[in-house]
Amino acid sequence: MFYLLILLLQMKLIKQITDLNKAINIEKRLGFVPTMGSLHKGHEALIKESQKKCKKTIVTIFVNPTQFNNKNDYKNYPQDLNKDLKILKKLKVDYVYLPTVDEVFKERLPKILLNKSQKILCARFRKGHFEGVLDILNRFAKLISPKSIFMGEKDFQQFFLVKNFIEKKYKTKVYVCKTIRDSKMIALSSRNNLLNKNGHNTLGLISNELVNLKKIIYKNRKQSKKIISIIKKDLVQKFKVKIEYLECRNTINLSTNIQKRSFKLFVAFYLNNVRLIDNF
């Protein structure tokens, strides 16, 4: 309690919508970084980018139940609020919003649905996930009215959907920030905390294999599906992973047409029963 009191003297910790409205109603250039906590260097990069582009920055810490299609996944999601608040204090964040589930979902809003063309990659395997993401960010955008939202490139499909949805509905710009990787080429993610040491080492090896695969495909785009099919089998045999998808899509509209266009290699797989995603 004493620690939180000290924090309050340096950044505004907000839990109620009424307090949120009072705190930010005069802010015109507010940057918004939505998080589910368990903060790492990737989140820090988003916050620093917000601080560069905006006058003030607000960070939310909210584990959104509606974007989990697996109850155990929601229940086991790593959380450490005290550690997160220390990080935010060090970064000199202006506002931290910590709403409850009841507070966030108090207002009934129209249900958001994906169209058929959007049900690709993670949307194929995580039913309701992106609908939950879009719903919560719609609610936060309505409450906060940020000038800018900052999201990570690691969740590129999420960024793509959010950008298209939010920028059409609000006067808000959605920015994507480069994926932060460690020395083993592992994309920083809260879910990495669920891996043991061996799992973490294996993830590094997989990441490097996928970096090399992207380079091969870049030079042989017409053979991309054949190359991926071979490498996919190799990854399963070598690392004992369960791969949900491994495919190339362009960054313009996420179609599979990668000829003469910028593209990414997208992957989702289970390693030691932990679901991980990345793109290269």
Side-chain angles (χ1 to χ4, degrees):
M1 181 63 87
F2 177 69
Y3 170 69
L4 290 179
L5 187 59
I6 293 174
L7 276 175
L8 284 168
L9 297 175
Q10 300 178 46
M11 67 182 182
K12 291 185 179 179
L13 196 63
I14 305 165
K15 294 185 178 181
Q16 302 293 327
I17 290 176
T18 51
D19 295 330
L20 177 69
N21 292 334
K22 290 176 185 176
I24 67 173
N25 66 354
I26 60 169
E27 302 294 353
K28 301 300 181 185
R29 292 176 54 206
L30 189 62
F32 171 36
V33 181
T35 84
M36 295 203 298
S38 195
L39 305 182
H40 50 66
K41 296 291 183 183
H43 295 109
E44 291 183 30
L46 299 179
I47 292 167
K48 289 175 182 177
E49 190 65 22
S50 174
Q51 290 171 328
K52 273 198 278 185
K53 283 187 164 65
C54 304
K55 190 173 181 180
K56 296 285 182 72
T57 293
I58 182 169
V59 174
T60 53
I61 297 178
F62 180 71
V63 183
N64 175 28
T66 66
Q67 69 187 67
F68 287 85
N69 59 325
N70 183 308
K71 289 182 179 179
N72 286 330
D73 196 16
Y74 172 61
K75 184 179 178 181
N76 295 325
Y77 194 85
Q79 297 179 66
D80 190 340
L81 182 58
N82 281 337
K83 182 182 177 183
D84 290 342
L85 292 175
K86 287 179 182 177
I87 291 171
L88 297 177
K89 174 191 173 185
K90 187 176 180 181
L91 291 171
K92 298 181 180 178
V93 168
D94 301 288
Y95 306 102
V96 182
Y97 184 35
L98 304 169
T100 63
V101 172
D102 290 340
E103 181 86 357
V104 169
F105 295 105
K106 186 183 296 182
E107 182 181 1
R108 297 189 67 179
L109 297 177
K111 193 172 183 180
I112 298 170
L113 298 173
L114 298 186
N115 61 44
K116 187 176 180 180
S117 67
Q118 293 171 322
K119 292 180 179 179
I120 58 174
L121 302 172
C122 281
R124 279 181 56 209
F125 295 92
R126 300 189 69 187
K127 186 178 179 182
H129 169 68
F130 287 121
E131 289 88 342
V133 170
L134 292 174
D135 178 68
I136 192 62
L137 286 175
N138 179 41
R139 291 173 185 275
F140 281 148
K142 188 178 180 184
L143 287 171
I144 296 169
S145 299
K147 183 178 186 297
S148 307
I149 297 175
F150 298 86
M151 307 186 76
E153 189 178 30
K154 189 184 81 69
D155 300 295
F156 189 85
Q157 185 182 13
Q158 175 175 272
F159 156 74
F160 181 85
L161 292 170
V162 170
K163 182 178 177 66
N164 287 336
F165 179 85
I166 293 293
E167 291 187 354
K168 285 178 183 176
K169 189 170 182 180
Y170 300 97
K171 294 179 179 179
T172 300
K173 178 76 175 174
V174 182
Y175 292 94
V176 67
C177 300
K178 187 177 179 180
T179 301
I180 304 299
R181 298 183 181 274
D182 67 13
S183 59
K184 296 178 181 178
M185 285 303 295
I186 296 172
L188 300 189
S189 169
S190 303
R191 291 181 181 272
N192 294 350
N193 295 330
L194 300 173
L195 295 172
N196 58 27
K197 186 176 180 180
N198 286 337
H200 197 268
N201 289 335
T202 299
L203 180 55
L205 295 173
I206 293 171
S207 296
N208 279 278
E209 293 248 3
L210 294 173
V211 168
N212 291 329
L213 174 58
K214 170 74 180 289
K215 291 176 182 177
I216 294 169
I217 293 172
Y218 187 82
K219 296 177 181 178
N220 303 274
R221 298 190 187 205
K222 291 183 179 180
Q223 301 296 319
S224 62
K225 290 184 179 179
K226 184 177 180 179
I227 294 168
I228 286 174
S229 178
I230 294 169
I231 298 300
K232 187 175 178 180
K233 291 176 182 177
D234 185 55
L235 290 172
V236 170
Q237 291 177 355
K238 190 185 293 186
F239 301 113
K240 310 302 180 187
V241 293
K242 176 187 174 184
I243 297 176
E244 282 190 341
Y245 62 79
L246 178 63
E247 55 189 88
C248 290
R249 290 183 176 268
N250 72 56
T251 56
I252 307 301
N253 58 16
L254 291 186
S255 81
T256 54
N257 179 11
I258 65 170
Q259 305 306 316
K260 299 180 182 179
R261 291 188 176 186
S262 173
F263 73 94
K264 284 182 173 292
L265 175 67
F266 292 89
V267 65
F269 59 94
Y270 283 88
L271 174 62
N272 296 349
N273 295 318
V274 179
R275 188 179 186 275
L276 302 162
I277 66 169
D278 205 345
N279 61 78
F280 301 86

PDB file of all heavy atoms in Angstrom, residues 67 120 173 201 203 212 250 277:
ATOM      1  N   GLN A  67     -11.202 -12.124 -25.079  1.00  0.00           N
ATOM      2  CA  GLN A  67     -10.328 -12.488 -26.195  1.00  0.00           C
ATOM      3  C   GLN A  67      -9.641 -13.834 -25.988  1.00  0.00           C
ATOM      4  O   GLN A  67      -8.797 -14.239 -26.781  1.00  0.00           O
ATOM      5  CB  GLN A  67      -9.293 -11.394 -26.456  1.00  0.00           C
ATOM      6  CG  GLN A  67      -8.226 -11.231 -25.393  1.00  0.00           C
ATOM      7  CD  GLN A  67      -7.354 -10.010 -25.643  1.00  0.00           C
ATOM      8  OE1 GLN A  67      -7.807  -8.872 -25.559  1.00  0.00           O
ATOM      9  NE2 GLN A  67      -6.082 -10.242 -25.963  1.00  0.00           N
ATOM     10  N   ILE A 120      -8.574 -15.609 -41.015  1.00  0.00           N
ATOM     11  CA  ILE A 120      -7.352 -16.270 -41.457  1.00  0.00           C
ATOM     12  C   ILE A 120      -6.364 -16.304 -40.296  1.00  0.00           C
ATOM     13  O   ILE A 120      -6.592 -15.687 -39.253  1.00  0.00           O
ATOM     14  CB  ILE A 120      -6.729 -15.532 -42.659  1.00  0.00           C
ATOM     15  CG1 ILE A 120      -6.439 -14.070 -42.274  1.00  0.00           C
ATOM     16  CG2 ILE A 120      -7.643 -15.615 -43.872  1.00  0.00           C
ATOM     17  CD1 ILE A 120      -5.691 -13.269 -43.316  1.00  0.00           C
ATOM     18  N   LYS A 173      -4.998   7.615 -34.714  1.00  0.00           N
ATOM     19  CA  LYS A 173      -4.018   6.956 -35.570  1.00  0.00           C
ATOM     20  C   LYS A 173      -3.444   5.751 -34.831  1.00  0.00           C
ATOM     21  O   LYS A 173      -3.076   5.857 -33.660  1.00  0.00           O
ATOM     22  CB  LYS A 173      -2.886   7.939 -35.909  1.00  0.00           C
ATOM     23  CG  LYS A 173      -1.766   7.377 -36.744  1.00  0.00           C
ATOM     24  CD  LYS A 173      -2.146   7.240 -38.183  1.00  0.00           C
ATOM     25  CE  LYS A 173      -0.943   6.792 -39.027  1.00  0.00           C
ATOM     26  NZ  LYS A 173      -1.332   6.503 -40.423  1.00  0.00           N
ATOM     27  N   ASN A 201      15.282 -22.226 -24.944  1.00  0.00           N
ATOM     28  CA  ASN A 201      16.379 -22.508 -25.874  1.00  0.00           C
ATOM     29  C   ASN A 201      15.857 -23.046 -27.205  1.00  0.00           C
ATOM     30  O   ASN A 201      16.327 -22.665 -28.284  1.00  0.00           O
ATOM     31  CB  ASN A 201      17.356 -23.509 -25.267  1.00  0.00           C
ATOM     32  CG  ASN A 201      18.172 -22.911 -24.123  1.00  0.00           C
ATOM     33  OD1 ASN A 201      18.367 -21.689 -24.063  1.00  0.00           O
ATOM     34  ND2 ASN A 201      18.636 -23.742 -23.214  1.00  0.00           N
ATOM     35  N   LEU A 203      12.914 -22.464 -28.468  1.00  0.00           N
ATOM     36  CA  LEU A 203      12.247 -21.356 -29.151  1.00  0.00           C
ATOM     37  C   LEU A 203      13.262 -20.519 -29.932  1.00  0.00           C
ATOM     38  O   LEU A 203      12.996 -20.071 -31.048  1.00  0.00           O
ATOM     39  CB  LEU A 203      11.500 -20.489 -28.141  1.00  0.00           C
ATOM     40  CG  LEU A 203      10.747 -19.280 -28.704  1.00  0.00           C
ATOM     41  CD1 LEU A 203       9.765 -19.698 -29.793  1.00  0.00           C
ATOM     42  CD2 LEU A 203      10.003 -18.549 -27.583  1.00  0.00           C
ATOM     43  N   ASN A 212      15.803 -17.812 -41.388  1.00  0.00           N
ATOM     44  CA  ASN A 212      16.449 -18.352 -42.594  1.00  0.00           C
ATOM     45  C   ASN A 212      15.423 -18.755 -43.643  1.00  0.00           C
ATOM     46  O   ASN A 212      15.647 -18.568 -44.847  1.00  0.00           O
ATOM     47  CB  ASN A 212      17.326 -19.557 -42.225  1.00  0.00           C
ATOM     48  CG  ASN A 212      18.541 -19.155 -41.402  1.00  0.00           C
ATOM     49  OD1 ASN A 212      19.061 -18.053 -41.548  1.00  0.00           O
ATOM     50  ND2 ASN A 212      18.995 -20.038 -40.526  1.00  0.00           N
ATOM     51  N   ASN A 250       0.986 -11.063 -47.729  1.00  0.00           N
ATOM     52  CA  ASN A 250       1.517  -9.724 -47.933  1.00  0.00           C
ATOM     53  C   ASN A 250       1.048  -8.785 -46.826  1.00  0.00           C
ATOM     54  O   ASN A 250       0.078  -9.072 -46.120  1.00  0.00           O
ATOM     55  CB  ASN A 250       1.179  -9.193 -49.334  1.00  0.00           C
ATOM     56  CG  ASN A 250      -0.290  -8.826 -49.497  1.00  0.00           C
ATOM     57  OD1 ASN A 250      -0.839  -8.033 -48.750  1.00  0.00           O
ATOM     58  ND2 ASN A 250      -0.918  -9.409 -50.509  1.00  0.00           N
ATOM     59  N   ILE A 277       3.139 -17.206 -31.123  1.00  0.00           N
ATOM     60  CA  ILE A 277       3.011 -16.701 -32.481  1.00  0.00           C
ATOM     61  C   ILE A 277       4.193 -15.790 -32.792  1.00  0.00           C
ATOM     62  O   ILE A 277       4.844 -15.267 -31.884  1.00  0.00           O
ATOM     63  CB  ILE A 277       1.694 -15.932 -32.708  1.00  0.00           C
ATOM     64  CG1 ILE A 277       1.666 -14.643 -31.871  1.00  0.00           C
ATOM     65  CG2 ILE A 277       0.503 -16.808 -32.414  1.00  0.00           C
ATOM     66  CD1 ILE A 277       0.535 -13.711 -32.236  1.00  0.00           C
TER      67      ILE A 277
END
